[in-house]
Amino acid sequence: MSPRTPGADLPEHPDALWRNPEPKRSYDVVIVGGGGHGLATAHYLAKNHGITDVAVLEKGWLAGGNMARNTTIIRSNYLWDESSAIYEHALKLWEGLEEDLGYPILFSQRGVLNLAHTLQDVRDSVRRVEANKLNGVDAEWLEPDEVRKVCPIVNTSTEIRYPVLGATYQPRAGIAKHDYVAWGFARRADQAGIDLVQDCEVTGFTTDGDRVTGVQTTRGTIGAGTVALCAAGHTSVLTDMLGIRVPIQSHPLQALVSELLEPVHPTVVMSNAVHVYVSQAHKGELVMGAGVDSYNGYGQRGAFHVIERQMAAAVELFPVFARAHLLRTWAGIVDTSPDASPIVGRTAYDNLYLNCGWGTGGFKATPGIGWALAHTIAHGEPHPTVAPFGLDRFVTGALVDEHGAAAVAH
Amino acid sequence: MTSPFRTPEGGRIDRATTVEFTFDGETLTGHPGDTLASALLASGRHRVATSVRLGRPRGVAAAWAEDPGGLVQIEEPFPEPMLLATTVELHDGLAAHGLPGQGRLADVPDSARYDAVHHHVDVLVVGAGPAGLAAALTAARAGARVALVDEQSEAGGSLLSGTERLDDAPALQWVAAAVAELAGHPDVLHLQRTTAFGSYDDGFVLALERRTDHLGAAAPKHVSRQRVWRIRARSIVVATGAHERPVVFADNDRPGTMLAGAARTFLHRYGVLPGREAVVFTTNDSAYDAALDLSRAGVRVQAVVDARPEGSPRRGECEHAGLRVLSGAVVTGTRGTERVTHALVAPFADGQVGASTAIGCDLLLVSGGWNPAVHLFSQARGRLRYDEVLGAFLPGEELDGLAVAGSAAGVFDLAGCLADGQRVARAALSALAVPPAADDRLPAAPAPVVPAAPVVLWRVPDTSGAEGTTSFVDLQRDATVADIVRAVGAGLRSLEHVKRYTTIGTAHDQGKTSGVLTSGIVAELLGVPVQDTGTTTFRPPYTPVAFAALAGRDRGRLFDPERVTALHEWHVAAGAVFEDVGQWKRPRYYPQPGEDMAAAVLRECAAARTGVGILDGSTLGKIDVQGPDAAVLLDRLYTNLMSSLKVGSVRYGVMCGVDGMVIDDGTVLRLAEDRFLVLTTTGGAATVLDWMEEWVQTEWPDLRVHCTSVTEQWVTFPVVGPRSRDVVGSLFPDVDVSTEAFPFMTWRDTALEGVPVRLARISFSGELAYEVYVNPWYAVAVWERLLEAGRPHGITPYGTETMHVLRAEKGYPIIGQDTDGTVTPHDLGMAWAVSKKKPDFIGKRSFTRPANADPLRKQLVGLLPVDRQTVLPEGSQIVEFRADGELPPPPVPMLGHVTSSYRSAELARPFALALVKGGRERIGDTVHVPVGGTLVPVEVTGAVLVDPEGARRDG
């Protein structure tokens, strides 16, 4: 037998992941949405607060939404204090997550380059690097020759249409394996006695005054002491049932993957002007995010011209990718808020909590938001890292405008 | 003899020509018409690749894109990772090797060309097999515009793999006649080597044409290597055939194990015997053709192993030919190392396997039934239905504008496929209101033999002791029955979870052979109907597509259109250094010999402040807003009042988003009561036009107004500086350029030798200035006349950098540089530009929010480095003054950031603009800017540093 191809083999999943329990009649806490955020919240409710009479209700299969569709980039080099605080909180948790979950989540701190192609990109990049440093987030500004050292395959020629003028670099950033992360959280939550209930769509709520008393589902009505909505773009569908308007818009965002390739790409590269964000996953496939489709919708598919444009950008910045092959395309749904920051916290209902609007930041925030939302549920008050992200900011005007920092213009 | 397995005659190969190729370093030969796989098989080589996780030998197991085994790396003529040997057409000089799981990218750029073509048809037929050809003929005969695309090198589909007859002649004669007939229809586009790989909404199909690879060195250089066809069809006929499905058993990955239908293809199409001694294992009648054909061609068929207890009515045919048929039996495993040497055959009844016997063979053919190739139907969101009899998923509904015909719809006999193709095409024509042709004859096919019912068998129970760990479901991922058992045991119920746990279906072939098997096995393990398990989602592309093919021509200079002004050649000749602003190339500065940017900009600034400078401002966005409600629209879009502007006058205005944050600014010229010329920033031109259109089209359709981009209809040359009046006055003597006759913020029309010219007293520098507007055809002439008129005054062309310095000295913000989407007009010190009279405008509501009244909002101010030396890097953060000169540990509170920073010729020191919390209250304070490890003290000032009284604008 020949030796195994390095990196082409992933660690095996455990023999037991979760039970498939029938839902009970009621729970102290019902989390609607069994994606990364819902599962992480369940885990930290049990771990940090000893709250285990919890159900996570998932209308499809666990972690089958954006958690299964993102490009797994993890970084905390956001511009504003509020954003870098929650993402850095998450990044610190990522750094200990494999141990916490007892699951090989393949967290690889291979660094992220955010390329600058225009003078304004350079200004914005320097601004973000300086802000990151003052906030204690690792960040560097790299000149083009330094970019080439970190990632030799980036085209740093001055002859291309939008030459690379430099890049920000966060060495602690990286990627992880999304399914492994989700299943790690799910397994821990299940082990703690939390019920993960799949094929269980929430169709309505029961309320009493300013309290939600339960959720109506395709598997019956389930009573709830507290309800947390972790349903990403579908959160507004749920809140519509309660007469709460949540200002999020949902768009398809496509991603794609190549065949397995020998290692060529050592880091993660993101560029807004020449729209690319790409890494080479552990097995060797190139994983790349495309642009957002401009129309709203929940269909997990996008238009093909977006993919074609993406390929043009990829080959422009990485000429060696020319004969890599597109193997599969798909789309997730980005739930975007007016200021491109998440919406987390309390609502008009005393015991109903929101968590949505993460746009392109949801995966990287997973442990951070799980921790913070669990805290918020346990204490009835927002955790400091999510306090700035309340729904009321759209009334007060205290926005956290991260349009510039999002990976994808939206 | 390098091709011992080549038949003496037959096949679609050109035996008169021999081509040489190398595989794994060994030189071999084949013929045009071969694939790499058929040539390797002809040489006796079954093992092609090494599996990715387990390092097991893998070989060619199918004859086309569904092959899970034969992955190769191309080295010559140009490295290309991971292709299937079965789809690589052989040509002279091809060099390839088998893959150990990962492909390798070339380390040199791909010099091949790629392109894309849009095509529109009434009927698109995908697949040129019997059903597809019948459909295409029917549509073409009716006079419809037709496209027929097929992924193979020639038309015929399954007919290329068999010995079928039509009209009492070999079926391929009919294929040739059909192709010739289609070629005679002017509105028919027929493309071979063209794979329809994506099916999208509204009849949009993407297809990849492989145009030159098969020609090898003879490929003409001017022809693109691959072409993406973007086909929009009113109606689509999917006639993509079916993929044969294997049965899983222990050690079913050994080279020499092959789908039964594939063996027929290699025999009939390529003239290759895939072995000498064969065992055929089947669950259905179709493999009997393979057994009989191979036997006739001289292969010793040791046994036909039929899982069905009652066997097949074709048993007699086999026995007549001397073949042994074992009914109620299965293959439980194989022996061999690099290649199968024995098939282990055992009786099989009621799901129980008996003792096995080893039968010697070098070829093990398998057929577990057929999976219709429903990919394009499913990509278009067609629902699938599981057919219990076929053990396969079929199209389960009718889609508007997309129909499935032939084997792809579960029709498996030749006459049925032909009739189905015609039926579906007629239905498509009927929907398009096109009557079918009077003569729409189909060839006569022999009456179909009704096959005995197949048995649905996903896997043979593992009696090898390996407990399913060598029973491969997805060969490309080395994923086995044992992996599926573990996944289900771990608590997984969803097929999507099982896919992710086992990685089945995620490899190069995207589960073409493994997908339905997995559905079946999971259903079996969970004890649920296969219909409930379903399939995982079919996603484009159907087969892998090279990145470069999709990038097409949009590479290098064509990646994004380069916009240049009418003066571009002049700028180049003048030695300008350019800056990208949006898509525009703008001169940033014009260095003279020996000058760096700093020196050039100081010189250019000084000229504009003390003499006269000239700028090519043509990239400024210009929107012609016309209609009786033009003023109403502008009043709603701008924060200030535009309706009160007099014809002949100009007003500066600010636009905000709904959140009350500045999105663009510029001047507005009122050309008539019902007509305005709106000037936007260079980068904001398209955004602002979109913004206008969005409001007009979606919110205020009642407004009688039209907005048209005229950016490219006017060039704009600001002539700037105290001497500008002399220059403009001398060139346009009929215009009274005095301030009294031509005051600031007004415009005048004039002409230069009959060429209309518009002059406007607008200043972005604080100096006396005249903007000259003219049709781009006259740009160079007018520019040169201005230079000539300015020569006595030392007129100096300047670029964007000087423009930025001049405006920054005056505290004029650049939207997008000094603002970032979080800045209100009030923050910019422009409360004066926010109307208090207007009942409403976009953003007004947001100004009343509590956060807008926060005294700690960031405000635009000036900064003067105390050392009079340091040019603060733009983007630098600002922190409180620290007496000890040291920063506290993070997080360090930030006050704001430097938005613009320059050296000033006028001030003889560097200065900056910044957004600072409570900035206007801090004027006179000292704050600090961390720069490269040190803290630079800076004094906060007002934003206007030059001529704060505005004394210069009238000269």
Side-chain angles (χ1 to χ4, degrees):
Chain A
M1 294 228 290
S2 311
R4 291 181 176 198
T5 305
D9 198 3
L10 294 180
E12 292 205 333
H13 293 287
D15 285 331
L17 282 170
W18 50 71
R19 303 162 288 129
N20 291 283
E22 285 299 313
K24 296 194 291 185
R25 293 176 61 89
S26 77
Y27 294 88
D28 287 349
V29 179
V30 167
I31 296 169
V32 182
H37 289 197
L39 294 169
T41 302
H43 167 64
Y44 290 115
L45 275 174
K47 182 185 167 186
N48 293 356
H49 306 286
I51 299 172
T52 58
D53 187 27
V54 178
V56 179
L57 308 184
E58 168 53 50
K59 76 169 178 174
W61 38 285
L62 287 179
N66 293 335
M67 193 67 182
R69 296 164 202 285
N70 68 84
T71 50
T72 80
I73 298 170
I74 294 163
R75 62 190 175 93
S76 65
N77 57 350
Y78 280 66
L79 174 63
W80 299 109
D81 299 348
E82 298 88 344
S83 316
S84 71
I86 178 75
Y87 287 111
E88 178 61 21
H89 175 57
L91 181 51
K92 289 203 169 78
L93 290 171
W94 279 111
E95 287 171 329
L97 197 59
E98 185 148 323
E99 202 177 343
D100 180 16
L101 299 180
Y103 211 103
I105 60 167
L106 296 168
F107 180 45
S108 162
Q109 290 179 288
R110 57 182 66 187
V112 169
L113 288 168
N114 293 79
L115 303 182
H117 300 272
T118 66
L119 296 175
Q120 188 57 39
D121 279 353
V122 174
R123 293 181 195 107
D124 292 340
S125 301
V126 170
R127 178 186 180 192
R128 189 159 46 75
V129 164
E130 294 297 321
N132 290 160
K133 285 180 181 169
L134 291 167
N135 273 322
V137 173
D138 59 321
E140 299 166 40
W141 167 256
L142 304 186
E143 297 293 335
D145 60 321
E146 299 169 301
V147 171
R148 197 158 47 236
K149 276 183 207 149
V150 173
C151 188
I153 57 170
V154 174
N155 188 353
T156 50
S157 158
T158 55
E159 300 304 308
I160 65 172
R161 179 68 183 86
Y162 295 111
V164 174
L165 303 183
T168 71
Y169 184 50
Q170 184 181 23
R172 286 165 61 238
I175 57 173
K177 188 85 176 104
H178 48 8
D179 296 329
Y180 286 59
V181 174
W183 296 1
F185 278 117
R187 188 176 66 132
R188 275 283 185 261
D190 178 83
Q191 285 169 347
I194 290 171
D195 284 353
L196 310 178
V197 185
Q198 304 180 73
D199 292 318
C200 183
E201 182 174 359
V202 170
T203 54
F205 294 86
T206 57
T207 60
D208 181 8
D210 62 357
R211 293 187 65 79
V212 174
T213 54
V215 292
Q216 294 154 340
T217 80
T218 49
R219 297 179 70 170
T221 298
I222 300 171
T226 297
V227 175
L229 305 183
C230 293
H234 285 85
T235 300
S236 52
V237 176
L238 294 168
T239 55
D240 280 353
M241 301 173 190
L242 288 161
I244 301 173
R245 279 187 72 194
V246 175
I248 56 173
Q249 299 201 40
S250 295
H251 295 267
L253 173 62
Q254 296 184 80
L256 56 98
V257 68
S258 78
E259 72 270 70
L260 305 188
L261 298 166
E262 291 175 14
V264 289
H265 183 23
T267 182
V268 181
V269 172
M270 309 177 66
S271 162
N272 279 8
V274 182
H275 189 276
V276 171
Y277 47 107
V278 60
S279 66
Q280 186 169 16
H282 303 81
K283 292 204 302 285
E285 66 270 40
L286 298 171
V287 179
M288 196 177 298
V292 70
D293 278 80
S294 53
Y295 57 87
N296 292 32
Y298 292 123
Q300 287 163 327
R301 63 205 290 260
F304 195 72
H305 69 271
V306 175
I307 298 291
E308 290 183 295
R309 193 66 196 147
Q310 184 55 42
M311 295 288 87
V315 177
E316 174 80 354
L317 268 186
F318 299 91
V320 302
F321 289 175
R323 292 203 185 183
H325 299 99
L326 177 70
L327 225 60
R328 186 176 181 86
T329 62
W330 65 90
I333 305 297
V334 280
D335 46 334
T336 62
S337 72
D339 61 357
S341 282
I343 302 171
V344 184
R346 308 196 56 164
T347 64
Y349 287 90
D350 211 29
N351 59 339
L352 176 76
Y353 296 91
L354 280 183
N355 169 45
C356 62
W358 284 89
T360 55
F363 176 73
K364 59 184 71 69
T366 300
I369 183 58
W371 180 291
L373 187 59
H375 174 104
T376 303
I377 292 167
H379 294 273
E381 284 302 326
H383 184 267
T385 57
V386 296
F389 298 110
L391 182 59
D392 60 344
R393 74 180 187 275
F394 301 106
V395 177
T396 67
L399 304 178
V400 186
D401 193 295
E402 283 287 359
H403 280 105
V408 178
H410 58 63
Chain B
M1 181 174 169
T2 65
S3 305
F5 289 83
R6 187 73 74 180
T7 58
E9 57 182 14
R12 311 285 297 169
I13 51 171
D14 172 12
R15 290 174 186 261
T17 310
T18 297
V19 297
E20 231 175 51
F21 68 103
T22 65
F23 188 78
D24 283 350
E26 188 183 350
T27 301
L28 299 166
T29 60
H31 300 290
D34 263 324
T35 61
L36 177 56
S38 68
L40 287 173
L41 292 175
S43 77
R45 181 162 182 150
H46 269 250
R47 179 185 177 156
V48 171
T50 307
S51 80
V52 65
R53 282 177 63 215
L54 304 175
R56 290 169 69 103
R58 292 286 158 76
V60 172
W64 187 247
E66 66 276 25
D67 179 27
L71 291 169
V72 298
Q73 166 84 32
I74 305 298
E75 295 294 355
E76 299 285 344
F78 190 88
E80 179 152 359
M82 205 172 286
L83 294 175
L84 284 167
T86 51
T87 63
V88 173
E89 290 188 53
L90 199 68
H91 61 79
D92 217 31
L94 179 74
H97 63 76
L99 270 189
Q102 290 176 333
R104 187 177 59 77
L105 293 171
D107 48 17
V108 292
D110 181 5
S111 60
R113 287 168 66 113
Y114 301 85
D115 59 18
V117 172
H118 290 269
H119 195 71
H120 297 76
V121 293
D122 296 318
V123 181
L124 166 66
V125 180
V126 182
L133 283 171
L137 284 172
T138 292
R141 286 166 179 168
R145 290 175 303 159
V146 177
L148 171 64
V149 302
D150 183 272
E151 57 184 342
Q152 303 278 347
S153 57
E154 58 178 322
S158 62
L159 298 176
L160 295 166
S161 302
T163 54
E164 281 77 1
R165 295 177 69 81
L166 288 169
D167 283 344
D168 262 343
L172 291 176
Q173 284 183 17
W174 171 75
V175 171
V179 168
E181 184 183 336
L182 289 170
H185 288 279
D187 276 344
V188 173
L189 172 75
H190 176 190
L191 299 169
Q192 291 294 143
R193 297 189 174 90
T194 303
T195 305
F197 64 82
S199 168
Y200 288 81
D201 291 346
D202 303 319
F204 186 43
V205 169
L206 280 304
L208 182 77
E209 182 186 9
R210 299 174 302 281
R211 306 180 75 201
T212 63
D213 276 3
H214 61 287
L215 300 173
K221 291 282 173 265
H222 66 282
V223 174
S224 61
R225 176 178 178 243
Q226 296 181 345
R227 169 172 286 175
V228 172
W229 287 84
R230 302 171 182 150
I231 305 170
R232 288 171 177 83
R234 298 171 73 195
S235 193
I236 300 165
V237 178
V238 174
T240 44
H243 298 147
E244 196 164 20
R245 183 175 62 236
V247 181
V248 180
F249 47 84
D251 299 311
N252 58 334
D253 63 329
R254 216 152 246 153
T257 309
M258 185 181 283
L259 290 166
R264 273 190 103 205
T265 302
F266 286 118
L267 173 65
H268 293 302
R269 183 167 174 191
Y270 301 108
V272 170
L273 296 179
R276 303 269 187 233
E277 297 190 323
V279 169
V280 180
F281 172 31
T282 188
T283 62
N284 64 88
D285 280 4
S286 72
Y288 283 78
D289 289 326
L292 289 162
D293 287 0
L294 287 175
S295 171
R296 277 181 213 117
V299 175
R300 284 184 298 280
V301 176
Q302 306 286 32
V304 175
V305 180
D306 194 323
R308 295 170 290 186
E310 66 282 15
S312 164
R314 302 191 66 182
R315 177 185 188 121
E317 212 178 325
C318 287
E319 286 170 348
H320 184 71
L323 311 188
R324 179 163 60 130
V325 178
L326 304 171
S327 299
V330 290
V331 169
T332 61
T334 65
R335 286 186 196 152
T337 49
E338 292 284 296
R339 179 153 175 192
V340 62
T341 58
H342 294 83
L344 306 179
V345 175
F348 180 68
D350 302 325
Q352 300 299 310
V353 178
S356 65
T357 314
I359 301 178
C361 61
D362 61 359
L363 180 66
L364 171 56
L365 301 184
V366 183
S367 177
W370 294 81
N371 294 326
V374 293
H375 302 66
L376 295 178
F377 170 81
S378 185
Q379 285 175 18
R381 294 270 151 129
R383 212 165 12 84
L384 299 176
R385 163 181 76 79
Y386 179 69
D387 186 296
E388 296 279 354
V389 175
L390 294 172
F393 287 91
L394 300 179
E397 63 178 328
E398 306 256 325
L399 293 182
D400 273 353
L402 186 147
V404 186
S407 303
V411 178
F412 290 112
D413 68 284
L414 178 53
C417 282
L418 290 165
D420 202 40
Q422 185 179 64
R423 177 188 66 80
V424 165
R426 283 186 176 168
L429 291 171
S430 161
L432 303 177
V434 176
D439 181 13
D440 186 18
R441 187 188 163 272
L442 287 178
V449 179
V450 178
V455 64
V456 177
L457 180 66
W458 311 113
R459 55 173 176 148
V460 174
D462 189 357
T463 54
S464 73
E467 297 183 347
T469 58
T470 64
S471 300
F472 289 91
V473 179
D474 187 335
L475 273 67
Q476 293 191 349
R477 283 289 194 233
D478 272 340
T480 64
V481 169
D483 293 325
I484 299 179
V485 170
R486 270 189 76 225
V488 170
L492 303 183
R493 299 291 175 267
S494 159
L495 191 66
E496 294 285 356
H497 279 150
V498 173
K499 165 185 163 179
R500 285 163 171 75
Y501 190 99
T502 60
T503 73
I504 288 172
T506 63
H508 185 271
D509 65 357
Q510 290 287 297
K512 288 188 181 66
T513 51
S514 59
V516 177
L517 281 177
T518 308
S519 300
I521 295 169
V522 169
E524 215 167 72
L525 291 169
L526 292 175
V528 300
V530 180
Q531 176 74 44
D532 291 0
T533 304
T535 66
T536 58
T537 311
F538 289 84
R539 297 279 189 184
Y542 168 63
T543 50
V545 182
F547 284 16
L550 298 174
R553 298 295 303 278
D554 296 350
R555 297 168 64 178
R557 285 178 59 83
L558 298 179
F559 170 67
D560 201 25
E562 215 167 70
R563 296 178 83 183
V564 295
T565 74
L567 283 185
H568 188 72
E569 296 307 318
W570 190 94
H571 298 315
V572 171
V577 173
F578 290 88
E579 170 190 8
D580 286 313
V581 183
Q583 291 173 319
W584 291 96
K585 290 282 180 194
R586 296 196 72 180
R588 190 176 181 196
Y589 57 100
Y590 300 85
Q592 291 189 348
E595 279 187 338
D596 61 5
M597 184 173 88
V601 170
L602 287 174
R603 172 179 53 75
E604 291 174 10
C605 284
R609 289 267 183 243
T610 63
V612 60
I614 185 168
L615 173 78
D616 181 3
S618 307
T619 63
L620 277 185
K622 301 170 208 70
I623 302 170
D624 193 338
V625 180
Q626 296 190 39
D629 293 323
V632 178
L633 174 66
L634 296 187
D635 271 354
R636 292 182 189 176
L637 293 175
Y638 283 98
T639 59
N640 48 342
L641 202 58
M642 286 296 172
S643 52
S644 62
L645 183 63
K646 292 189 169 41
V647 175
S649 285
V650 182
R651 187 167 289 167
Y652 172 79
V654 175
M655 251 181 229
C656 288
V658 288
D659 56 359
M661 303 302 162
V662 177
I663 57 171
D664 207 68
D665 74 341
T667 48
V668 176
L669 285 65
R670 189 161 203 170
L671 305 180
E673 277 307 311
D674 60 353
R675 186 171 181 192
F676 295 81
L677 181 66
V678 168
L679 288 123
T680 73
T681 58
T682 296
T687 316
V688 171
L689 183 59
D690 278 355
W691 182 243
M692 289 177 167
E693 290 292 349
E694 181 174 340
W695 286 97
V696 168
Q697 292 183 30
T698 67
E699 300 293 330
W700 306 320
D702 53 307
L703 292 187
R704 295 159 300 165
V705 61
H706 293 278
C707 309
T708 308
S709 169
V710 292
T711 301
E712 309 221 0
Q713 276 61 44
W714 294 96
V715 291
T716 312
F717 307 142
V719 181
V720 175
R723 300 269 72 83
S724 59
R725 178 172 288 137
D726 302 328
V727 177
V728 173
S730 72
L731 191 58
F732 305 102
D734 57 326
V735 179
D736 181 348
V737 292
S738 69
T739 292
E740 297 70 34
F742 191 172
F744 184 57
M745 295 303 255
T746 61
W747 61 269
R748 301 285 180 267
D749 275 345
T750 180
L752 185 62
E753 294 170 19
V755 174
V757 172
R758 177 169 295 150
L759 301 176
R761 282 281 313 278
I762 298 171
S763 178
F764 194 42
S765 60
E767 299 296 329
L768 175 69
Y770 296 80
E771 291 188 350
V772 179
Y773 293 75
V774 69
N775 182 308
W777 286 110
Y778 305 102
V780 177
V782 171
W783 175 267
E784 286 182 339
R785 297 286 285 275
L786 284 164
L787 291 182
E788 194 182 310
R791 192 163 298 128
H793 309 285
I795 193 165
T796 302
Y798 66 86
T800 52
E801 194 67 18
T802 291
M803 176 188 82
H804 283 182
V805 178
L806 298 174
R807 62 87 202 174
E809 289 172 337
K810 288 291 294 177
Y812 299 151
I814 299 266
I815 305 308
Q817 176 172 343
D818 299 293
T819 70
D820 60 1
T822 70
V823 179
T824 67
H826 313 81
D827 299 338
L828 293 173
M830 290 185 185
W832 54 266
V834 180
S835 169
K836 297 193 173 53
K837 294 183 201 157
K838 288 196 288 187
D840 202 5
F841 55 85
I842 294 172
K844 180 183 170 87
R845 184 186 58 168
S846 295
F847 293 150
T848 59
R849 296 183 298 191
N852 287 57
D854 183 351
L856 286 182
R857 284 191 70 81
K858 289 177 185 165
Q859 294 162 339
L860 187 72
V861 292
L863 297 180
L864 290 171
V866 174
D867 66 1
R868 305 183 69 94
Q869 297 294 325
T870 307
V871 181
L872 301 171
E874 290 171 343
S876 297
Q877 294 289 335
I878 299 161
V879 298
E880 291 278 4
F881 176 73
R882 300 282 304 179
D884 60 3
E886 294 283 320
L887 285 175
V892 182
M894 287 166 257
L895 295 177
H897 76 285
V898 174
T899 58
S900 299
S901 176
Y902 311 99
R903 287 187 179 81
S904 168
E906 176 87 9
L907 301 171
R909 65 187 293 182
F911 74 105
L913 295 178
L915 288 168
V916 177
K917 281 182 185 170
R920 288 197 285 272
E921 284 296 309
R922 289 181 178 269
I923 290 174
D925 290 359
T926 300
V927 293
H928 273 180
V929 176
V931 178
T934 63
L935 290 178
V936 178
V938 297
E939 183 194 341
V940 180
T941 73
V944 188
L945 290 163
V946 167
D947 186 28
E949 322 70 53
R952 297 182 180 182
R953 73 166 200 222
D954 290 333

